[in-house]
Amino acid sequence: MGILITRFNSRTVMGKSLRKSLTDIATKIGTKVFNTAIRESIAIREAQTKQMDIFSYARYSTDGRDYKNLINEIINEG
């Protein structure tokens, strides 16, 4: 379906450069980069440590909201 960027930090030069590079690669291989990127957050690591999904552990965390946005993006494309 496309390329999903995870552990993303849009405030860094590296993060911005990564998105641009992945967009260029996606164009070359005939796919896309999802508009939604999953941001770096401690909540996802904590959920993994507790062996829980992010929605049960911290539904309103930044990455919980990001995954929800990704789901909506996928559904709206179909």
Side-chain angles (χ1 to χ4, degrees):
M1 291 184 72
I3 298 170
L4 173 63
I5 301 172
T6 61
R7 301 184 68 183
F8 185 64
N9 185 340
S10 64
R11 295 172 290 173
T12 65
V13 172
M14 189 170 92
K16 293 171 187 172
S17 177
L18 173 68
R19 184 181 281 278
K20 169 136 181 34
S21 294
L22 288 174
T23 301
D24 292 343
I25 291 168
T27 300
K28 288 178 185 174
I29 63 173
T31 192
K32 67 170 189 157
V33 175
F34 284 101
N35 291 325
T36 303
I38 310 303
R39 291 173 278 183
E40 180 76 27
S41 169
I42 192 68
I44 198 79
R45 287 191 220 136
E46 291 172 348
Q48 290 169 339
T49 300
K50 296 185 180 285
Q51 298 181 345
M52 296 175 70
D53 64 86
I54 192 62
F55 299 111
S56 298
Y57 181 75
R59 171 183 317 190
Y60 301 108
S61 64
T62 57
D63 33 10
R65 289 190 312 259
D66 291 342
Y67 276 108
K68 184 177 180 192
N69 290 338
L70 174 65
I71 292 166
N72 289 332
E73 184 177 347
I74 291 169
I75 288 170
N76 289 331
E77 283 183 0

